[in-house]
Amino acid sequence: METQFARVRPAADVDAERIAEIFARSWTLAYTGIIPRLQLEGYIRRRGADWWARAARSGDPPLLLEAGGVIAGYATCGRSRARQTFKGEIYELYLDPVYQGLGLGVHLFESCRQVLDERGLEGLLVWALCDNRGACEFYRRRGGRPVGEALEQFGDTTVAKMAFGWS
């Protein structure tokens, strides 16, 4: 999907450093105070440039959103891991914090939906931590309805998460 300002394309291994930077910046902003510091730092450390280079070389690389020629965000999506009712799932959708609030997340979200539709994966599922109010509101504004809840463990901390679904 492309506009004059933004386009979405598959990641390549040369993008790995920038994806790792976006991952670290967006996760730090989204999850500080929700995920314990040591666990959050561990996730960020494990998913550095080498991890993202391998992901880019996989058969299903992340989608990158470029805004004005700069990689502003990424998403991963595919077959739903949790539900039979929803065949497609967006696993991750993150923007560099400097690009948040500009409508670019909608562009990336719709690109994921298009990819899932092209793969014949009807119905969409997205999980978000309940305390990540920005993400929950984003998915509600996109028409997602709560379809499930679960708990996730981060060290000694248990965090509630919500599944949003689209038919």
Side-chain angles (χ1 to χ4, degrees):
M1 183 176 265
E2 191 166 339
T3 67
Q4 289 183 349
F5 179 71
R7 77 178 184 125
V8 175
R9 65 171 176 84
D13 21 345
V14 297
D15 303 314
E17 288 284 341
R18 178 65 179 139
I19 302 168
E21 180 183 333
I22 292 168
F23 176 79
R25 291 169 51 91
S26 61
W27 272 57
T28 299
L29 178 69
Y31 301 123
T32 295
I34 299 172
I35 296 174
R37 184 180 58 81
L38 289 177
Q39 280 72 32
L40 181 57
E41 290 172 356
Y43 281 115
I44 291 169
R45 193 172 39 258
R46 282 190 297 278
R47 290 183 68 182
D50 290 343
W51 193 96
W52 288 106
R54 284 190 303 279
R57 289 189 301 268
S58 75
D60 196 13
L63 297 176
L64 300 184
L65 173 91
E66 290 183 344
V70 176
I71 299 169
Y74 76 92
T76 59
C77 60
R79 184 168 301 283
S80 176
R81 299 171 288 186
R83 298 218 168 218
Q84 295 303 316
T85 307
F86 303 94
K87 302 296 183 195
E89 181 175 349
I90 296 175
Y91 311 127
E92 295 182 78
L93 191 154
Y94 292 98
L95 294 177
D96 187 314
V98 300
Y99 291 95
Q100 293 178 10
L102 304 175
L104 295 170
V106 174
H107 192 72
L108 189 53
F109 177 83
E110 291 302 330
S111 295
C112 287
R113 289 186 74 157
Q114 181 179 340
V115 164
L116 295 171
D117 286 347
E118 289 169 358
R119 294 179 186 175
L121 299 173
E122 295 180 11
L124 171 62
L125 186 70
V126 178
W127 286 93
L129 298 183
C130 294
D131 287 340
N132 184 349
R133 289 184 180 91
C136 292
E137 286 306 311
F138 175 82
Y139 294 123
R140 282 189 182 97
R141 286 193 307 272
R142 305 280 68 72
R145 61 183 180 13
V147 295
E149 293 181 26
L151 298 174
E152 188 151 343
Q153 197 71 32
F154 297 98
D156 294 333
T157 302
T158 302
V159 179
K161 61 184 182 177
M162 174 75 62
F164 294 90
W166 293 258
S167 297

